[in-house]
């Protein structure tokens, strides 16, 4: 069962952590039988299923799950012309689920990801670990060499400034994968049989000023702290690039988290990624990105956000302006992407008018 809160000495049934404060977002083009394996952990939670591809296809959801399902017709009906910012025929469509959710937390998972076992052979409740990661602070300002100091059996090491031990609010929890690792197409082609069997029992805060490759397969985040920045960029149908949706979101998110003093963690939990997508198809989707990212990364490393950018939305709009000005020179795609970033924020604010915003610097949510 998901991590539960038990009242000592009481017969009160335990309640899964954040049961009514977290949505599980699943992008899919398949039937969702994979949920059977996750049932003990996911059943108490509300699912938001984003059906990609042909909206006339019926997606079967196993009995007993509480869910809402959106297909492309729903996205177009809800967003109208703003639906243009939501990718079609790509897992990037999942970000629509983040937008329509009304909960404080979101966990997103691919439908070819299953429950993994830890070295003791115990099933890993990935959702419970993500919740622990999100509910405990991050340490982006000073690296703790004993990893997560807030974890049972660990602490800050000698020399760690006491003034920094309160840490920062955690905005993102990035989980990993046993079996099929999230390799890019060239690596997949060179190492077709490589499987990840290494279970590293650690959760690390990604230091301030450092970017990372965010994978959308096993990802949780505080929607109230960073949701508007979790736009999975324009990919799939009609776009020159694919499989960079989550990467794009991760780079934007990390720059904004650094600016707003929010934390990003990576490491536990693991899940079992079962399906290797076709490396040749992936290469066609990725190849421009493999060249472009040699310019994109320096762009994000040098992106600047002024002190007037005191909400995620303001940060994101500022980034979109810089994308248009600096990356637009590489390819017209980035002009289109910059416009889509603005459309995303407009759509987000339209669907979430009363969202709290984060004041810069203290990471504390401040009502609108
Ligand atoms: O057109 C599509 C294709 C797939 N989906 C759904 O998205 C996820 C991921 O699909 P899949 O597991 O087939 O592909 P992977 O290459 O393993 O995906 C990972 O790589 C990155 C792609 O950007 C990303 O980090 C992961 O998603 C499944 O749930 C499919 O059902 C879709 O919605 N539309
Ligand atoms: Mn997959």
């Amino acid at each position: 069962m998901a991590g539960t809160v038990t009242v000592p000495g009481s017969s009160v049934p335990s309640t899964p952590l954040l049961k009514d404060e977290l949505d599980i977002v699943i992008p899919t083009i398949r039937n969702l039988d994979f949920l059977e394996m996750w049932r003990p952990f996911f059943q108490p939670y509300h699912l938001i299923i984003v059906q990609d591809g042909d909206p006339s296809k019926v997606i079967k959801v196993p009995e007993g799950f509480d869910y809402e399902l959106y297909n492309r017709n729903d996205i177009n009906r809800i967003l109208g012309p703003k639906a243009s910012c939501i990718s079609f025929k790509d897992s990037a469509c999942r970000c629509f689920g983040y937008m329509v959710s009304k909960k404080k937390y979101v966990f997103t998972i691919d439908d070819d990801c299953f429950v993994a076992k830890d070295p003791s052979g115990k099933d890993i409740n990935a959702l419970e670990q993500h919740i622990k990661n999100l509910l405990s602070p991050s340490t982006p300002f000073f690296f703790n060499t004993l990893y997560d100091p807030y974890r049972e059996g660990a602490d800050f090491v000698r020399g760690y400034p006491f003034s920094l031990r309160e840490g920062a609010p955690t905005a993102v929890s990035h989980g990993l994968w046993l079996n099929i690792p999230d390799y890019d197409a060239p690596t997949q082609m060179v190492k077709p049989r490589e499987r990840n069997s290494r279970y590293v029992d650690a959760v690390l805060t990604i230091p301030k000023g450092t970017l990372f490759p965010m994978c959308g397969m096993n990802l949780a985040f505080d929607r109230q702290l960073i949701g508007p920045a979790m736009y999975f960029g324009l990919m799939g149908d009609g776009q020159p690039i694919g499989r960079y949706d989550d990467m794009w979101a991760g780079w934007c998110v990390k720059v904004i988290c650094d600016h707003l003093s929010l934390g990003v963690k990576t490491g536990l939990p693991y899940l079992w990624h079962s399906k290797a997508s076709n490396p040749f198809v992936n290469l066609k989707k990725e190849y421009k990105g493999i060249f472009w990212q040699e310019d994109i990364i320096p762009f994000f490393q040098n992106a600047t956000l002024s002190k007037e950018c005191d909400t995620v939305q303001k940060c994101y709009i500022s980034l979109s302006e810089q994308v248009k000005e600096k990356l637009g020179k590489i390819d017209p795609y980035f002009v289109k992407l910059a416009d889509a970033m603005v459309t995303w924020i407009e759509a987000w604010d339209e669907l979430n008018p009363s969202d709290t915003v984060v004041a810069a610097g203290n990471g504390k949510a401040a009502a609108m």
Side-chain angles (χ1 to χ4, degrees):
M1 196 57 174
T4 55
V5 179
T6 46
V7 180
S10 148
S11 59
V12 174
S14 58
T15 310
L17 277 177
L18 302 180
K19 174 176 169 304
D20 300 318
E21 296 174 82
L22 179 141
D23 281 337
I24 299 174
V25 175
I26 305 165
T28 194
I29 49 173
R30 312 175 173 117
N31 283 332
L32 296 172
D33 304 337
F34 89 113
L35 285 172
E36 281 307 342
M37 194 173 190
W38 291 103
R39 187 182 290 275
F41 305 139
F42 288 5
Q43 184 146 17
Y45 295 89
H46 180 65
L47 311 182
I48 296 180
I49 298 159
V50 183
Q51 176 185 343
D52 193 19
D54 177 5
S56 66
K57 177 177 173 181
V58 176
I59 296 286
K60 284 202 204 72
V61 183
E63 288 295 315
F65 285 95
D66 169 52
Y67 71 91
E68 53 198 282
L69 184 146
Y70 297 93
N71 63 27
R72 193 68 207 187
N73 294 336
D74 298 318
I75 294 172
N76 293 338
R77 172 175 47 79
I78 293 165
L79 295 184
K82 295 192 178 72
S84 61
C85 75
I86 304 297
S87 298
F88 184 55
K89 294 189 179 170
D90 189 283
S91 62
C93 65
R94 76 174 84 212
C95 63
F96 179 74
Y98 311 158
M99 189 190 284
V100 292
S101 169
K102 294 297 165 231
K103 302 288 175 56
K104 176 165 171 54
Y105 301 97
V106 163
F107 168 51
T108 188
I109 184 171
D110 287 4
D111 62 18
D112 65 343
C113 292
F114 294 86
V115 176
K117 293 189 179 301
D118 70 18
S120 74
K122 183 170 170 266
D123 281 354
I124 298 169
N125 181 347
L127 182 53
E128 182 185 50
Q129 180 63 48
H130 277 302
I131 290 171
K132 280 183 189 161
N133 293 350
L134 290 171
L135 293 183
S136 68
S138 297
T139 55
F141 310 118
F142 199 86
F143 186 77
N144 191 54
T145 48
L146 203 54
Y147 311 118
D148 182 354
Y150 304 102
R151 196 174 166 190
E152 194 65 35
D155 212 315
F156 292 98
V157 295
R158 180 167 53 86
Y160 201 101
F162 280 82
S163 59
L164 294 176
R165 294 194 183 195
E166 186 186 348
T170 300
V172 178
S173 172
H174 178 264
L176 299 173
W177 342 269
L178 293 174
N179 194 37
I180 309 286
D182 187 23
Y183 284 165
D184 51 46
T187 307
Q188 235 185 318
M189 295 169 93
V190 167
K191 309 170 101 176
R193 279 183 291 283
E194 183 147 300
R195 297 291 180 265
N196 181 32
S197 58
R198 187 178 314 139
Y199 179 96
V200 176
D201 184 6
V203 177
L204 290 175
T205 294
I206 302 172
K208 180 172 180 172
T210 302
L211 297 171
F212 77 113
M214 186 174 83
C215 170
M217 266 192 265
N218 174 15
L219 181 73
F221 59 91
D222 184 320
R223 188 177 162 280
Q224 228 160 51
L225 287 181
I226 200 66
M230 274 288 177
Y231 174 50
F232 278 35
L234 270 185
M235 304 279 146
D237 199 38
Q239 309 304 337
I241 183 175
R243 289 170 55 84
Y244 272 85
D245 50 309
D246 41 6
M247 300 296 146
W248 184 262
W251 296 329
C252 293
V253 158
K254 188 60 172 60
V255 167
I256 293 172
C257 281
D258 287 349
H259 178 72
L260 295 178
S261 295
L262 300 172
V264 176
K265 291 178 180 175
T266 187
L268 300 180
Y270 283 89
L271 48 61
W272 182 267
H273 182 209
S274 70
K275 194 180 73 61
S277 38
N278 182 308
F280 294 94
V281 171
N282 289 346
L283 185 58
K284 277 191 211 145
K285 293 179 179 178
E286 290 174 14
Y287 83 94
K288 284 194 172 182
I290 292 172
F291 292 105
W292 286 346
Q293 74 182 27
E294 296 306 326
D295 292 308
I296 294 171
I297 298 305
F299 163 78
F300 279 106
Q301 287 169 333
N302 297 298
T304 54
L305 294 170
S306 71
K307 63 179 183 352
E308 285 70 34
C309 294
D310 58 0
T311 68
V312 176
Q313 284 90 332
K314 288 179 188 171
C315 293
Y316 205 75
I317 295 296
S318 173
L319 272 184
S320 73
E321 289 160 357
Q322 297 174 63
V323 166
K324 183 173 272 190
E325 183 204 340
K326 295 181 179 162
L327 294 180
K329 297 170 188 151
I330 298 176
D331 189 282
Y333 168 72
F334 291 101
V335 175
K336 188 162 70 165
L337 180 57
D339 290 342
M341 290 169 72
V342 175
T343 305
W344 160 263
I345 291 295
E346 288 169 349
W348 181 284
D349 287 346
E350 207 171 283
L351 266 62
N352 300 282
S354 60
D355 254 8
T356 50
V357 294
V358 173
N362 63 14
K364 300 241 180 331
M368 283 274 276

